[in-house]
Amino acid sequence: DIQMTQSPSSLSASVGDRVTITCRASQSISRYLNWYQQKPGTAPKLLIFAASSLQSGVPSRFSGSGSGTDFTLTISSLQPEDFASYYCQQSYSSPHSFGQGTKLEIK
Amino acid sequence: QVQLQESGPGLVKPSQTLSLTCTVSGVSISSGSYYWSWIRQPAGKGLEWIGRIYSSGSTNSNPSLKSRLTISVDTSKNQLSLKLTSVTAADTAVYYCARVAPQLEHGFDIWGQGTRVTVSS
């Protein structure tokens, strides 16, 4: 099974900050990497698919990059509604595992 | 628009079988354009991929659950279902069904609201 490791596990930042979250796969997954945002009490929402493609309706301040084993999610200028948890997920091979999550909190 | 709705008992006794249904509206499961998946999340913890099914009935399951898990689809009702046998407290979680979009690198593009299941006597 492929293990997905996110860092950091939690992060404090301010509105307007640029934030980067990292996801590392235990083996190469090419670009089969997706990012989700989850707010308390709600289902996750797909932000980025195929490592860097923005899902329809997602603001352009979100971007993704990487391939192979190392990936990043960047929020260019944090907005109040961005404070949430973020998960990466690999869809390269079954089981399609998730990272443990990164909780983004207001400083 | 496409909607997914999970349903099932909120409380299951240890050693019994957890049975959930996901009703899909706005798209036909039998169209063959998507996979359909189950994901769970224990309170305060991360997401766990349970498994997925295609309209043909072919499945992939998490090896950690495979011996206890059955995922099936009823195209006549446009539903998918999950059965997990011999449950323990470790199976307590919010269970989500989600649509898997091959054109989005198999990302989960539409989710149900989730249903909370507690395993307790």
Side-chain angles (χ1 to χ4, degrees):
Chain A
D1 295 1
I2 298 174
Q3 308 304 317
M4 306 300 294
T5 304
Q6 285 181 237
S7 61
S9 297
S10 62
L11 176 60
S12 294
S14 302
V15 173
D17 283 354
R18 179 183 180 91
V19 165
T20 296
I21 298 169
T22 296
C23 180
R24 175 164 289 176
S26 60
Q27 66 184 74
S28 177
I29 57 171
S30 185
R31 294 177 61 82
Y32 288 85
L33 191 282
N34 309 308
W35 289 98
Y36 300 86
Q37 176 194 66
Q38 186 180 33
K39 297 181 180 179
T42 69
K45 170 188 173 183
L46 180 63
L47 297 176
I48 301 281
F49 64 94
S52 61
S53 296
L54 200 64
Q55 170 65 334
S56 175
V58 174
S60 60
R61 63 181 179 273
F62 291 92
S63 64
S65 65
S67 65
T69 60
D70 294 319
F71 302 86
T72 59
L73 171 70
T74 299
I75 310 172
S76 60
S77 178
L78 274 173
Q79 299 302 300
E81 61 268 29
D82 300 337
F83 292 94
S85 293
Y86 293 85
Y87 294 90
C88 62
Q89 179 241 344
Q90 63 85 14
S91 54
Y92 180 79
S93 70
S94 179
H96 290 179
S97 44
F98 291 88
Q100 81 278 17
T102 296
K103 186 172 184 179
L104 179 52
E105 298 174 308
I106 301 174
K107 184 183 286 184
Chain B
Q1 72 279 25
V2 179
Q3 292 185 317
L4 284 69
Q5 178 70 58
E6 305 90 347
S7 59
L11 181 64
V12 181
K13 289 182 166 48
S15 80
Q16 293 191 343
T17 297
L18 182 165
S19 297
L20 298 176
T21 298
C22 175
T23 301
V24 179
S25 59
V27 65
S28 173
I29 287 179
S30 59
S31 69
S33 300
Y34 303 97
Y35 290 82
W36 305 89
S37 196
W38 288 97
I39 299 116
R40 69 180 183 180
Q41 184 173 37
K45 296 189 178 180
L47 299 162
E48 180 181 24
W49 186 86
I50 295 173
R52 70 176 186 178
I53 189 165
Y54 192 58
S55 56
S56 63
S58 66
T59 60
N60 297 102
S61 301
N62 193 319
S64 68
L65 299 171
K66 193 168 186 176
S67 63
R68 300 191 290 131
L69 179 67
T70 301
I71 298 175
S72 60
V73 63
D74 185 336
T75 55
S76 67
K77 295 182 179 179
N78 221 35
Q79 293 176 334
L80 61 153
S81 65
L82 174 152
K83 291 188 189 302
L84 189 64
T85 63
S86 304
V87 297
T88 69
D91 296 310
T92 294
V94 174
Y95 285 74
Y96 296 100
C97 57
R99 188 176 80 170
V100 183
Q103 68 273 32
L104 304 181
E105 224 64 86
H106 292 257
F108 304 113
D109 66 335
I110 298 176
W111 295 65
Q113 65 184 31
T115 187
R116 185 174 304 276
V117 177
T118 300
V119 178
S120 175
S121 55

PDB file of all heavy atoms in Angstrom, chain A residues 78-95:
ATOM      1  N   LEU A  78      -4.367  33.955   1.923  1.00  0.00           N
ATOM      2  CA  LEU A  78      -5.421  33.332   2.724  1.00  0.00           C
ATOM      3  C   LEU A  78      -6.624  34.245   2.914  1.00  0.00           C
ATOM      4  O   LEU A  78      -6.477  35.435   3.234  1.00  0.00           O
ATOM      5  CB  LEU A  78      -4.868  32.938   4.088  1.00  0.00           C
ATOM      6  CG  LEU A  78      -4.186  31.579   4.214  1.00  0.00           C
ATOM      7  CD1 LEU A  78      -3.555  31.449   5.589  1.00  0.00           C
ATOM      8  CD2 LEU A  78      -5.147  30.444   3.936  1.00  0.00           C
ATOM      9  N   GLN A  79      -7.781  33.664   2.736  1.00  0.00           N
ATOM     10  CA  GLN A  79      -9.042  34.341   3.011  1.00  0.00           C
ATOM     11  C   GLN A  79      -9.697  33.700   4.235  1.00  0.00           C
ATOM     12  O   GLN A  79      -9.391  32.555   4.582  1.00  0.00           O
ATOM     13  CB  GLN A  79      -9.965  34.247   1.799  1.00  0.00           C
ATOM     14  CG  GLN A  79      -9.393  34.907   0.550  1.00  0.00           C
ATOM     15  CD  GLN A  79      -9.074  36.373   0.789  1.00  0.00           C
ATOM     16  OE1 GLN A  79      -9.958  37.165   1.121  1.00  0.00           O
ATOM     17  NE2 GLN A  79      -7.800  36.732   0.631  1.00  0.00           N
ATOM     18  N   PRO A  80     -10.596  34.414   4.891  1.00  0.00           N
ATOM     19  CA  PRO A  80     -11.204  33.859   6.112  1.00  0.00           C
ATOM     20  C   PRO A  80     -11.851  32.498   5.899  1.00  0.00           C
ATOM     21  O   PRO A  80     -11.812  31.642   6.792  1.00  0.00           O
ATOM     22  CB  PRO A  80     -12.243  34.927   6.480  1.00  0.00           C
ATOM     23  CG  PRO A  80     -11.711  36.187   5.903  1.00  0.00           C
ATOM     24  CD  PRO A  80     -11.024  35.794   4.629  1.00  0.00           C
ATOM     25  N   GLU A  81     -12.411  32.275   4.718  1.00  0.00           N
ATOM     26  CA  GLU A  81     -13.102  31.007   4.462  1.00  0.00           C
ATOM     27  C   GLU A  81     -12.152  29.844   4.178  1.00  0.00           C
ATOM     28  O   GLU A  81     -12.591  28.702   4.016  1.00  0.00           O
ATOM     29  CB  GLU A  81     -14.080  31.171   3.288  1.00  0.00           C
ATOM     30  CG  GLU A  81     -13.444  31.562   1.965  1.00  0.00           C
ATOM     31  CD  GLU A  81     -13.399  33.072   1.755  1.00  0.00           C
ATOM     32  OE1 GLU A  81     -13.335  33.821   2.759  1.00  0.00           O
ATOM     33  OE2 GLU A  81     -13.428  33.499   0.578  1.00  0.00           O
ATOM     34  N   ASP A  82     -10.845  30.112   4.129  1.00  0.00           N
ATOM     35  CA  ASP A  82      -9.869  29.058   3.842  1.00  0.00           C
ATOM     36  C   ASP A  82      -9.417  28.303   5.087  1.00  0.00           C
ATOM     37  O   ASP A  82      -8.708  27.292   4.977  1.00  0.00           O
ATOM     38  CB  ASP A  82      -8.636  29.638   3.147  1.00  0.00           C
ATOM     39  CG  ASP A  82      -8.971  30.305   1.819  1.00  0.00           C
ATOM     40  OD1 ASP A  82     -10.021  29.968   1.226  1.00  0.00           O
ATOM     41  OD2 ASP A  82      -8.183  31.168   1.386  1.00  0.00           O
ATOM     42  N   PHE A  83      -9.800  28.791   6.251  1.00  0.00           N
ATOM     43  CA  PHE A  83      -9.380  28.113   7.473  1.00  0.00           C
ATOM     44  C   PHE A  83     -10.209  26.840   7.623  1.00  0.00           C
ATOM     45  O   PHE A  83     -11.426  26.876   7.817  1.00  0.00           O
ATOM     46  CB  PHE A  83      -9.488  29.051   8.671  1.00  0.00           C
ATOM     47  CG  PHE A  83      -8.487  30.165   8.589  1.00  0.00           C
ATOM     48  CD1 PHE A  83      -8.826  31.395   8.040  1.00  0.00           C
ATOM     49  CD2 PHE A  83      -7.177  29.973   9.002  1.00  0.00           C
ATOM     50  CE1 PHE A  83      -7.895  32.419   7.925  1.00  0.00           C
ATOM     51  CE2 PHE A  83      -6.234  30.982   8.903  1.00  0.00           C
ATOM     52  CZ  PHE A  83      -6.591  32.213   8.358  1.00  0.00           C
ATOM     53  N   ALA A  84      -9.521  25.712   7.491  1.00  0.00           N
ATOM     54  CA  ALA A  84     -10.155  24.406   7.346  1.00  0.00           C
ATOM     55  C   ALA A  84      -9.057  23.355   7.437  1.00  0.00           C
ATOM     56  O   ALA A  84      -7.892  23.672   7.666  1.00  0.00           O
ATOM     57  CB  ALA A  84     -10.853  24.318   5.990  1.00  0.00           C
ATOM     58  N   SER A  85      -9.441  22.103   7.231  1.00  0.00           N
ATOM     59  CA  SER A  85      -8.463  21.014   7.129  1.00  0.00           C
ATOM     60  C   SER A  85      -8.288  20.642   5.667  1.00  0.00           C
ATOM     61  O   SER A  85      -9.237  20.720   4.878  1.00  0.00           O
ATOM     62  CB  SER A  85      -8.914  19.791   7.925  1.00  0.00           C
ATOM     63  OG  SER A  85      -8.922  20.066   9.313  1.00  0.00           O
ATOM     64  N   TYR A  86      -7.073  20.237   5.333  1.00  0.00           N
ATOM     65  CA  TYR A  86      -6.732  19.889   3.957  1.00  0.00           C
ATOM     66  C   TYR A  86      -6.140  18.488   3.918  1.00  0.00           C
ATOM     67  O   TYR A  86      -5.334  18.117   4.778  1.00  0.00           O
ATOM     68  CB  TYR A  86      -5.748  20.911   3.378  1.00  0.00           C
ATOM     69  CG  TYR A  86      -6.384  22.273   3.219  1.00  0.00           C
ATOM     70  CD1 TYR A  86      -6.433  23.166   4.285  1.00  0.00           C
ATOM     71  CD2 TYR A  86      -6.993  22.647   2.023  1.00  0.00           C
ATOM     72  CE1 TYR A  86      -7.064  24.397   4.157  1.00  0.00           C
ATOM     73  CE2 TYR A  86      -7.625  23.872   1.883  1.00  0.00           C
ATOM     74  CZ  TYR A  86      -7.651  24.732   2.963  1.00  0.00           C
ATOM     75  OH  TYR A  86      -8.284  25.947   2.836  1.00  0.00           O
ATOM     76  N   TYR A  87      -6.559  17.717   2.913  1.00  0.00           N
ATOM     77  CA  TYR A  87      -6.099  16.344   2.759  1.00  0.00           C
ATOM     78  C   TYR A  87      -5.602  16.113   1.334  1.00  0.00           C
ATOM     79  O   TYR A  87      -6.241  16.545   0.373  1.00  0.00           O
ATOM     80  CB  TYR A  87      -7.243  15.355   3.016  1.00  0.00           C
ATOM     81  CG  TYR A  87      -7.754  15.350   4.433  1.00  0.00           C
ATOM     82  CD1 TYR A  87      -8.783  16.196   4.838  1.00  0.00           C
ATOM     83  CD2 TYR A  87      -7.207  14.486   5.391  1.00  0.00           C
ATOM     84  CE1 TYR A  87      -9.247  16.194   6.134  1.00  0.00           C
ATOM     85  CE2 TYR A  87      -7.671  14.474   6.694  1.00  0.00           C
ATOM     86  CZ  TYR A  87      -8.695  15.325   7.056  1.00  0.00           C
ATOM     87  OH  TYR A  87      -9.157  15.311   8.356  1.00  0.00           O
ATOM     88  N   CYS A  88      -4.493  15.392   1.241  1.00  0.00           N
ATOM     89  CA  CYS A  88      -4.089  14.891  -0.065  1.00  0.00           C
ATOM     90  C   CYS A  88      -4.564  13.446  -0.189  1.00  0.00           C
ATOM     91  O   CYS A  88      -4.840  12.776   0.813  1.00  0.00           O
ATOM     92  CB  CYS A  88      -2.574  14.993  -0.262  1.00  0.00           C
ATOM     93  SG  CYS A  88      -1.564  14.025   0.882  1.00  0.00           S
ATOM     94  N   GLN A  89      -4.664  12.976  -1.413  1.00  0.00           N
ATOM     95  CA  GLN A  89      -5.139  11.612  -1.680  1.00  0.00           C
ATOM     96  C   GLN A  89      -4.509  11.127  -2.975  1.00  0.00           C
ATOM     97  O   GLN A  89      -4.493  11.859  -3.963  1.00  0.00           O
ATOM     98  CB  GLN A  89      -6.659  11.598  -1.806  1.00  0.00           C
ATOM     99  CG  GLN A  89      -7.277  10.254  -2.111  1.00  0.00           C
ATOM    100  CD  GLN A  89      -8.039  10.221  -3.426  1.00  0.00           C
ATOM    101  OE1 GLN A  89      -8.375  11.254  -3.993  1.00  0.00           O
ATOM    102  NE2 GLN A  89      -8.326   9.040  -3.923  1.00  0.00           N
ATOM    103  N   GLN A  90      -3.979   9.904  -2.947  1.00  0.00           N
ATOM    104  CA  GLN A  90      -3.412   9.357  -4.173  1.00  0.00           C
ATOM    105  C   GLN A  90      -4.439   8.447  -4.848  1.00  0.00           C
ATOM    106  O   GLN A  90      -5.144   7.687  -4.180  1.00  0.00           O
ATOM    107  CB  GLN A  90      -2.086   8.609  -3.897  1.00  0.00           C
ATOM    108  CG  GLN A  90      -2.173   7.390  -2.997  1.00  0.00           C
ATOM    109  CD  GLN A  90      -2.550   6.110  -3.720  1.00  0.00           C
ATOM    110  OE1 GLN A  90      -2.519   6.013  -4.953  1.00  0.00           O
ATOM    111  NE2 GLN A  90      -2.923   5.076  -2.954  1.00  0.00           N
ATOM    112  N   SER A  91      -4.513   8.554  -6.163  1.00  0.00           N
ATOM    113  CA  SER A  91      -5.410   7.700  -6.942  1.00  0.00           C
ATOM    114  C   SER A  91      -4.613   6.867  -7.945  1.00  0.00           C
ATOM    115  O   SER A  91      -5.119   6.465  -8.985  1.00  0.00           O
ATOM    116  CB  SER A  91      -6.467   8.555  -7.653  1.00  0.00           C
ATOM    117  OG  SER A  91      -5.863   9.570  -8.431  1.00  0.00           O
ATOM    118  N   TYR A  92      -3.357   6.605  -7.607  1.00  0.00           N
ATOM    119  CA  TYR A  92      -2.473   5.834  -8.495  1.00  0.00           C
ATOM    120  C   TYR A  92      -2.746   4.341  -8.383  1.00  0.00           C
ATOM    121  O   TYR A  92      -2.766   3.625  -9.381  1.00  0.00           O
ATOM    122  CB  TYR A  92      -1.022   6.142  -8.140  1.00  0.00           C
ATOM    123  CG  TYR A  92      -0.002   5.407  -8.974  1.00  0.00           C
ATOM    124  CD1 TYR A  92       0.303   5.848 -10.256  1.00  0.00           C
ATOM    125  CD2 TYR A  92       0.660   4.286  -8.477  1.00  0.00           C
ATOM    126  CE1 TYR A  92       1.242   5.186 -11.030  1.00  0.00           C
ATOM    127  CE2 TYR A  92       1.602   3.617  -9.236  1.00  0.00           C
ATOM    128  CZ  TYR A  92       1.889   4.065 -10.506  1.00  0.00           C
ATOM    129  OH  TYR A  92       2.817   3.405 -11.265  1.00  0.00           O
ATOM    130  N   SER A  93      -2.909   3.877  -7.130  1.00  0.00           N
ATOM    131  CA  SER A  93      -3.171   2.454  -6.951  1.00  0.00           C
ATOM    132  C   SER A  93      -4.044   2.217  -5.725  1.00  0.00           C
ATOM    133  O   SER A  93      -3.996   2.985  -4.760  1.00  0.00           O
ATOM    134  CB  SER A  93      -1.869   1.662  -6.835  1.00  0.00           C
ATOM    135  OG  SER A  93      -1.221   1.936  -5.623  1.00  0.00           O
ATOM    136  N   SER A  94      -4.830   1.148  -5.774  1.00  0.00           N
ATOM    137  CA  SER A  94      -5.711   0.794  -4.673  1.00  0.00           C
ATOM    138  C   SER A  94      -4.903   0.182  -3.534  1.00  0.00           C
ATOM    139  O   SER A  94      -4.004  -0.633  -3.775  1.00  0.00           O
ATOM    140  CB  SER A  94      -6.755  -0.207  -5.171  1.00  0.00           C
ATOM    141  OG  SER A  94      -7.626  -0.596  -4.135  1.00  0.00           O
ATOM    142  N   PRO A  95      -5.208   0.539  -2.280  1.00  0.00           N
ATOM    143  CA  PRO A  95      -6.237   1.472  -1.805  1.00  0.00           C
ATOM    144  C   PRO A  95      -5.842   2.934  -2.015  1.00  0.00           C
ATOM    145  O   PRO A  95      -4.693   3.304  -1.816  1.00  0.00           O
ATOM    146  CB  PRO A  95      -6.332   1.146  -0.306  1.00  0.00           C
ATOM    147  CG  PRO A  95      -4.965   0.638   0.053  1.00  0.00           C
ATOM    148  CD  PRO A  95      -4.488  -0.104  -1.150  1.00  0.00           C
TER     149      PRO A  95
END
